[in-house]
Amino acid sequence: MPKVSEDHLAARRSQILDGARRCFAEFGYEGATVRRLEEATGLSRGAIFHHFKDKDGLFLALAHEDAQRMADVAAEQGLVQVMRDMIAQPEQFDWLATRVEITRRLRTDAEFARAWSQRGAELTEATASRLEQQKSAGRLRDDVPDKVLLEYLDLVLDGLISRLASGQDTDRLGQVLDLVEESVRKVK
């Protein structure tokens, strides 16, 4: 039996995650059956679960990858930029429904919550680091603790995700994000 290259394995894993992202976005966690995952990825269940322990492992890997991608942007440009990207390029964020699913499962599934807490901190850490940098540079309000600013931005993100996932009008959301940015800037 020929040995499969690391590049091939990485490409296959990426193919599975891309298909699963679309499937979970369209059908939610419960509706993303193994048959639908097979159709979305173009692969057999054996191929899918060769790379991921089970459906939960696949979902966690997907959620982790998406959180990492958002964390990278948040670390460089801030959480508001993540939100602006969601508005400007909705096709790049077809996984928004997974964020809603993550929130639901954090509330209802203790095992998932434990696994997620080990993996899901990247976005929070990146945002906290960015806030600290901006505050040190004198760009952010200093009359509000960092933890409060972080919670505020996280609430705005959750609201934005909910709005986008529900398909509601997004015409004024850029202006809303302008207001959010103004509200955290240091008053001169």
Side-chain angles (χ1 to χ4, degrees), residues 15 23 27 61 65 93 143:
Q15 177 184 357
C23 189
F27 300 107
E65 182 180 87
F93 294 91
D143 63 329

Side-chain angles (χ1 to χ4, degrees), residues 91-110:
E91 70 283 354
Q92 297 295 315
F93 294 91
D94 60 353
W95 52 266
L96 286 175
T98 63
R99 175 79 184 222
V100 175
E101 184 66 26
I102 291 166
T103 303
R104 183 190 71 76
R105 293 197 61 207
L106 288 172
R107 255 190 5 260
T108 61
D109 184 337

Side-chain angles (χ1 to χ4, degrees), residues 80 83-84 87 156 160 173-181:
V80 173
M83 293 183 250
R84 288 188 189 286
I87 295 167
V156 172
L160 177 68
L173 293 181
Q175 293 171 309
V176 170
L177 293 178
D178 291 343
L179 183 61
V180 170
E181 281 188 319

